[in-house]
């Protein structure tokens, strides 16, 4: 029994095979699945995670046939050549002592293809194509294709398959009246709607025999109108068990649901109550998922008997060695996923290869490597924000002698400010991780120390990395020096009092965050915050209502807020692809007034004078908060150059905001810092 995480790290005997622990690495589409020439990169990606000790990995989704593809010419598993190619993945994983299942995913009406199909012709609100309705014969042949895909996965030496039946994909479409209004044996009664799901499991089991893992990913809360009732879910779960599944993995919410299920603001383990209820009705292992990102949270779920296993997906992008570190009691060394979606899901939706904001090596294992240096140097890193933390720790890991300076009294830079935003407290985990790495690799840290050109030249560093970040922009608006005007640092860092009526100038990421901070009614405890979150989004924690939906009860906003921008485009348009809608919805719920196309005329005792569409208005507000972007803080680099540092042999590099402030985010800062450090 593992002394640190006894439940999480206990083996699981499935009868014909044993998983070494209770941790599943959940399916993620990384973009490496779609092209055969990426197969070795995919193998390296999974091999690294197998080495990291996870009990069972699930690949991204592979369609059982052409019409089930997510994208034209997307990943499919339907022939022997592809199956044999995949042996490179399975061999790499098995050599590292891991186990891996292939996920079979038929996209149904979520296919981004003109040839998508579904139970009916109802178009999804998130894809442009209307699907064709599957005929009875096509349904029978789709079932055969699932069975064939499972056989191909077996030929590829996978340890099993996962049948993707949640998140609103084809099987889920058959299960719900929202899409399935058929009148034949595949629709109508709940028994008929279930038939396709149950037949898929039965026929794949028959095709692969008894000694092959079948995981069934089941939607426990559809979170859309016309979703399943809990009663239907229980009946389905028993039928899936009888049909031959070995594990029930769980999914929450369709992709088109308007309740967030995985972004940072979703409380940790928010949906494990549903798994706990399902666990009571089946005897095969049930796996909890969604917003579980530390071994401590996972252990708690298992020790409370809320699940038999825990699935984490993005946490394995953030840290492939999650399990290995937990095993030896070093969970503080885990690089924690902060659920930002910025480098993983956002990339997937932009057709770019996935990676991770906190770990740019994810999905780039063969290209970005932190190899020991053969040429040890003395390197100063100035600024301990994301760019500085990443570069100093990678440099030190590689064997350089690194000194990290920060003028502040703690490391983290702007992450100390970002973590003040409701729902962003996980940003503290990144600072904890880098803090532990700084200690582990022996970075010399000098806090409360403003580095100057003279001091750096005096100390004779070989190279200097300027990671001094940004300074907030103060736009030249008439009356900007008025006492009503504040910067976002005054509010978030210095906690200066803010009045009840507020205008925010600038509606970028920070403007939205400040808006959320100002309207949010802070609850007394973490537990109370969680309950408030369920209420405000209308999540039925009693599972009494169809699809897990109840009417939302939104608490009144703490303040009246205007969120303003000069651009004519809709406010919040440039926020993250998969998280922006949550920020927009949150502020709308709280009646924040968003105004595009503003001209800022004057600030005086009356408030903020603006012109919109040629009409003048006065916003009678107590405070005007500037969130108008940022400018690079590169004074130190200029000073060093002016002082002739380069002529004396010192190399100067700029990373993060110090290099380029426009559209800067932590993804770029960490990526740039890490890549530079890997190259020196
Ligand atoms: P910074 O984080 O600005 O760090 C610079 C550091 O340099 C500071 O610690 C400063 O004290 C130090 N310094 C400066 N000059 C000197 C000197 N001469 N000597 C010593 N030290 C010096 N990004 C995202 O990707 N996702 C988000 O969700 C997100 N949310 C945010 C929310 C808020 C409220 C804020 C304010 C920012 C958010 N960001 C987010 C932006 C992100 O934090 C920044 O992009 C990132 O911190 C930039 O990193 P950096 O290392 O370049 O600089
Ligand atoms: P930003 O996203 O560039 O937004 C700046 C805002 O200020 C814009 O709305 C801009 O809109 C306005 N602005 C710019 N110049 C102005 C001027 N001279 N006068 C008045 N308004 C002006 O920058 P940010 O909000 O400061 O965020 C900084 C970075 O942090 C961003 O790149 C963002 O990616 C990152 N971040 C990300 C998140 C996230 O959730 N992913 C959250 C917070 C921050 P107009 O020009 O139309 O007025
Ligand atoms: Fe997690 Fe963000 Fe990394 Fe995605 S990019 S794995 S959400 S930390």
């Amino acid at each position: 029994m593992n002394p640190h995480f006894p439940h999480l790290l206990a083996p699981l005997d499935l009868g014909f095979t044993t998983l070494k622990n209770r941790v599943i690495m959940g399916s993620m589409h990384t973009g490496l699945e779609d092209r055969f020439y990426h197969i070795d990169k995919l193998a390296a990606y999974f091999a690294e995670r197998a080495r990291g000790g996870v009990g069972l990995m699930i690949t991204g989704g592979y369609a059982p046939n052409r019409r089930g593809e997510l994208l034209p010419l997307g990943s499919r598993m339907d022939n022997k050549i592809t199956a044999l190619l995949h042996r490179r993945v399975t061999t790499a994983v098995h050599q590292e002592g891991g186990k891996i299942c292939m996920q079979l995913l038929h996209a149904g009406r979520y296919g981004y293809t003109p040839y998508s199909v579904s139970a009916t012709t109802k178009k999804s609100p998130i894809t442009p194509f209307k699907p064709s309705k599957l005929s009875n014969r096509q349904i029978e042949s789709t079932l055969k294709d699932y069975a064939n895909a499972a056989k191909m996965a077996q030929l590829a030496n996978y340890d099993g398959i996962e049948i993707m039946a949640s998140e609103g994909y084809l099987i889920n479409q058959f299960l719900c009246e929202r899409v399935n209004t058929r009148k034949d044996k595949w629709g109508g009664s709940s028994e008929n709607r279930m038939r396709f799901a149950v037949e898929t499991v039965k026929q794949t089991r028959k095709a692969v025999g008894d000694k092959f893992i079948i995981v069934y990913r089941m939607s426990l809360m559809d979170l859309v109108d016309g979703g399943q009732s809990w009663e239907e879910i229980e009946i389905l779960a028993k039928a899936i068990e009888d049909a031959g599944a070995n594990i029930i993995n769980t999914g929450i919410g369709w992709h088109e649901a308007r309740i967030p299920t995985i972004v940072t603001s979703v409380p940790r383990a928010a949906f494990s109550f549903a798994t706990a209820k399902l666990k009571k009705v089946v005897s095969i292992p049930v796996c909890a998922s969604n917003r579980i990102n530390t071994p401590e949270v996972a252990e708690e779920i298992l020790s409370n008997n809320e699940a038999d296993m825990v699935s984490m997906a993005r946490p394995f992008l953030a840290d492939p060695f999650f399990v290995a570190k937990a095993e030896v009691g070093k969970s503080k060394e885990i690089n924690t996923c902060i659920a930002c979606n910025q480098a993983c899901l956002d990339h997937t939706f932009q057709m770019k290869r996935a990676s991770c904001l906190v770990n740019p090596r994810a999905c780039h294992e063969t290209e970005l490597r932190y190899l020991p240096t053969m040429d040890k140097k003395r390197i100063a890193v100035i600024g301990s924000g994301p760019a500085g933390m990443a570069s100093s720790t990678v440099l030190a890991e590689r064997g350089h002698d690194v000194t990290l300076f920060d003028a502040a009294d703690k490391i983290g830079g702007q992450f100390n400010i970002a973590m003040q935003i409701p729902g962003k407290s996980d940003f503290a985990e990144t600072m904890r991780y880098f803090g532990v790495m700084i200690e582990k690799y022996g970075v010399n840290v000098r806090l409360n120390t403003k580095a100057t050109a003279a001091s750096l030249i005096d100390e004779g560093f070989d190279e200097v990395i300027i990671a001094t970040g940004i300074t907030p922009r103060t736009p030249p608006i008439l009356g900007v020096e008025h006492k009503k005007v504040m910067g976002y640092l005054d509010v978030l860092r210095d906690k200066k009092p803010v009045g009840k009526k507020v205008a925010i100038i600038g509606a970028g990421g920070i403007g939205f965050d400040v808006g959320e901070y100002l309207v949010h009614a802070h609850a007394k405890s973490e537990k109370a915050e969680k309950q408030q979150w369920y209420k405000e989004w209308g999540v039925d924690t009693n599972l009494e209502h169809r699809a897990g939906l109840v009417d939302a009860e939104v608490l009144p906003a703490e303040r009246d807020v205007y969120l303003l921008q000069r651009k004519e485009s809709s406010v919040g348009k440039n926020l993250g692809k998969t998280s922006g809608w949550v920020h927009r919805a949150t502020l709308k719920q709280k009646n924040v007034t968003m105004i595009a196309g503003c001209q800022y005329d004057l600030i005086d005792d009356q408030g903020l004078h603006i012109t919109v569409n040629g009409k003048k208005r006065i916003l009678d507000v107590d405070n005007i908060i500037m969130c108008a972007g940022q400018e690079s803080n590169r004074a130190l680099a200029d000073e060093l150059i002016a002082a002739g540092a380069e002529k004396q042999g010192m190399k100067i590099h700029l990373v993060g905001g110090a290099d380029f402030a426009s559209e800067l985010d932590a993804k770029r800062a960490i990526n740039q810092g890490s890549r530079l450090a890997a190259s020196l």
Side-chain angles (χ1 to χ4, degrees):
M1 186 190 279
N2 182 280
H4 310 289
F5 299 100
H7 297 86
L8 188 65
L9 301 178
L12 180 68
D13 185 0
L14 294 175
F16 58 94
T17 188
T18 300
L19 306 181
K20 57 186 167 194
N21 51 54
R22 305 300 177 107
V23 186
I24 288 185
M25 172 177 144
S27 173
M28 284 176 285
H29 199 80
T30 62
L32 292 174
E33 298 79 6
D34 298 329
R35 302 289 169 255
F36 72 91
Y37 49 80
H38 281 150
I39 198 80
D40 291 327
K41 289 190 171 82
L42 194 64
Y45 158 76
F46 280 121
E48 184 154 316
R49 280 143 186 94
R51 196 156 57 249
V54 56
L56 180 66
M57 296 183 288
I58 317 256
T59 67
Y62 286 80
N65 57 28
R66 166 67 54 89
R67 300 195 85 172
E69 286 173 357
L70 266 170
L71 298 167
L73 302 179
S75 51
R76 247 188 304 143
M77 179 50 87
D78 60 354
N79 64 72
K80 284 189 181 164
I81 295 174
T82 310
L84 294 177
L85 188 68
H86 272 259
R87 286 195 179 172
R88 294 205 211 168
V89 172
T90 52
T91 303
V93 168
H94 293 152
Q95 274 171 354
E96 297 292 352
K99 285 194 163 55
I100 182 161
C101 287
M102 170 170 276
Q103 187 187 70
L104 302 184
L105 180 156
H106 190 306
R109 69 177 192 157
Y110 279 169
Y112 239 78
T113 69
Y115 47 83
S116 64
V117 291
S118 184
T120 61
T121 58
K122 284 195 183 166
K123 193 178 100 55
S124 100
I126 56 169
T127 39
F129 301 104
K130 190 172 176 170
S132 317
K133 179 179 169 182
L134 286 165
S135 67
N136 187 47
R137 230 180 70 214
Q138 286 173 318
I139 291 176
E140 298 288 0
S141 85
T142 305
L143 290 170
K144 285 202 182 83
D145 291 338
Y146 267 107
N148 174 59
K151 280 223 62 93
M152 291 302 110
Q154 203 169 30
L155 180 66
N157 289 338
Y158 280 97
D159 299 281
I161 51 154
E162 176 175 84
I163 295 172
M164 177 45 149
S166 63
E167 290 12 50
Y169 291 113
L170 182 71
I171 297 177
N172 213 175
Q173 291 159 26
F174 266 94
L175 286 166
C176 297
E177 284 165 341
R178 179 179 184 78
V179 178
N180 188 353
T181 49
R182 299 174 71 103
K183 303 272 184 287
D184 58 4
K185 67 171 182 172
W186 305 103
S189 67
S190 67
E191 199 189 340
N192 283 356
R193 280 183 277 115
M194 261 172 224
R195 194 180 310 281
F196 184 69
V198 177
E199 278 302 313
T200 308
V201 179
K202 265 192 197 157
Q203 296 193 21
T204 48
R205 172 56 77 206
K206 201 168 156 213
V208 295
D210 288 342
K211 296 192 169 55
F212 194 64
I213 302 170
I214 295 184
V215 182
Y216 179 87
R217 179 109 181 255
M218 182 162 184
S219 179
L220 293 198
M221 301 172 84
D222 294 315
L223 300 180
V224 284
D225 288 333
Q228 299 162 94
S229 68
W230 184 259
E231 201 188 347
E232 287 172 355
I233 286 168
E234 287 198 351
I235 295 168
L236 174 65
K238 287 183 204 154
I240 293 298
E241 178 174 8
D242 292 346
N246 303 100
I247 295 170
I248 293 185
N249 193 1
T250 55
I252 305 290
W254 288 34
H255 286 316
E256 67 206 62
R258 293 294 90 179
I259 294 176
T261 55
I262 59 168
V263 297
T264 316
S265 54
V266 176
R268 286 176 172 179
F271 300 101
S272 58
F273 66 88
T275 320
K277 191 159 177 179
L278 188 76
K279 185 171 153 39
K280 296 197 179 99
V281 298
V282 288
S283 50
I284 52 175
V286 172
C287 183
S289 72
N290 286 58
R291 281 294 277 134
I292 302 165
N293 64 346
T294 68
E296 288 79 9
V297 173
E299 176 71 14
E300 197 182 333
I301 291 171
L302 297 182
S303 63
N304 289 343
N305 209 18
E306 290 179 290
D308 304 287
M309 306 182 77
V310 168
S311 169
M312 291 173 271
R314 297 170 297 167
F316 286 97
L317 289 179
D319 198 330
F321 297 95
F322 184 104
V323 172
K325 290 174 182 177
E327 256 168 1
V328 293
K330 292 189 174 173
S331 66
K332 294 271 176 293
E333 289 191 11
I334 293 174
N335 197 358
T336 304
C337 165
I338 57 173
C340 64
N341 284 356
Q342 285 174 242
C344 52
L345 265 185
D346 282 354
H347 278 207
T348 306
F349 279 84
Q350 292 159 359
M351 320 280 176
K352 292 201 288 202
R353 194 194 308 181
S355 187
C356 173
L357 178 142
V358 298
N359 172 27
R361 284 198 68 248
C363 303
H364 295 73
E365 286 75 13
T366 57
E367 296 138 86
L368 177 57
R369 301 172 71 193
Y370 304 150
L371 301 172
T373 180
M374 309 300 279
D375 177 21
K376 182 169 175 170
K377 293 175 192 152
R378 282 187 66 231
I379 303 179
V381 179
I382 320 303
S384 70
M389 291 190 293
S391 35
S392 59
T393 50
V394 172
L395 285 167
E397 178 182 349
R398 295 186 52 231
H400 288 295
D401 178 354
V402 184
T403 306
L404 176 64
F405 294 83
D406 206 294
D409 60 359
K410 50 182 171 287
I411 62 161
Q414 291 179 63
F415 263 31
N416 290 296
I417 301 158
M419 65 171 275
Q420 310 297 325
I421 305 300
K424 279 196 173 177
S425 55
D426 269 1
F427 280 51
E429 300 288 359
T430 304
M431 293 187 284
R432 182 262 309 148
Y433 164 74
F434 279 117
V436 172
M437 291 300 110
I438 281 169
E439 224 177 291
K440 177 170 174 168
Y441 295 119
V443 175
N444 311 302
V445 182
R446 294 197 210 156
L447 295 175
N448 301 305
T449 309
K450 188 164 193 266
T452 61
S455 65
L456 293 170
I457 293 171
D458 248 20
E459 290 202 50
F461 288 103
D462 301 317
E463 311 219 4
V464 175
I465 297 180
I466 311 282
T468 46
I470 49 81
T471 39
R473 177 184 292 127
T474 305
I477 300 169
L478 209 58
V480 75
E481 63 293 332
H482 194 278
K483 59 180 187 306
K484 283 176 186 261
V485 176
M486 301 172 88
Y488 64 82
L489 293 178
D490 295 323
V491 179
L492 300 174
R493 184 190 62 193
D494 304 336
K495 312 279 182 218
K496 291 190 181 159
V498 181
K500 284 286 179 190
K501 288 179 289 172
V502 180
I504 299 173
I505 289 188
I510 293 180
F512 266 82
D513 274 357
V514 169
E516 284 179 41
Y517 178 85
L518 292 175
V519 294
H520 185 77
H522 292 272
K524 287 205 172 64
S525 64
E526 208 179 308
K527 204 171 156 196
E529 277 285 341
K530 196 168 176 176
Q531 293 309 320
Q532 188 171 311
W533 184 87
Y534 292 129
K535 277 196 176 153
E536 293 211 321
W537 286 101
V539 175
D540 174 19
T541 51
N542 297 318
L543 296 167
E544 285 165 355
H545 297 82
R546 202 166 261 283
L549 294 173
V550 286
D551 288 339
E553 287 174 48
V554 181
L555 292 180
E558 287 288 287
R559 292 179 177 80
D560 292 335
V561 173
Y562 295 94
L563 182 58
L564 314 172
Q565 70 177 29
R566 296 172 305 174
K567 286 188 284 292
E568 299 282 351
S569 55
S570 63
V571 176
K573 189 168 172 259
N574 294 333
L575 296 177
K577 187 103 183 134
T578 59
S579 57
W581 70 270
V582 184
H583 297 295
R584 289 190 293 270
T586 305
L587 293 195
K588 272 189 192 141
Q589 278 176 346
K590 300 282 185 180
N591 296 321
V592 169
T593 309
M594 302 186 197
I595 308 178
C598 284
Q599 177 188 305
Y600 309 115
D601 299 327
L602 170 71
I603 297 164
D604 63 13
D605 290 346
Q606 288 181 289
L608 176 63
H609 299 243
I610 56 173
T611 305
V612 185
N613 292 331
K615 283 196 189 135
K616 292 199 178 295
R617 270 181 82 174
I618 302 171
L619 306 181
D620 167 24
V621 291
D622 307 314
N623 291 108
I624 295 117
I625 301 172
M626 294 298 170
C627 300
Q630 306 166 332
E631 277 151 16
S632 283
N633 180 10
R634 53 196 304 157
L636 184 57
D638 296 339
E639 271 175 42
L640 276 169
I641 293 164
E646 285 176 315
K647 289 192 190 111
Q648 295 171 46
M650 182 187 275
K651 282 198 182 146
I652 302 167
H653 312 268
L654 285 146
V655 289
D659 178 39
F660 194 60
S662 176
E663 294 187 3
L664 166 75
D665 61 8
K667 179 176 77 174
R668 170 146 68 80
I670 291 179
N671 189 29
Q672 198 186 8
S674 306
R675 282 177 190 272
L676 172 68
S679 71
L680 295 182

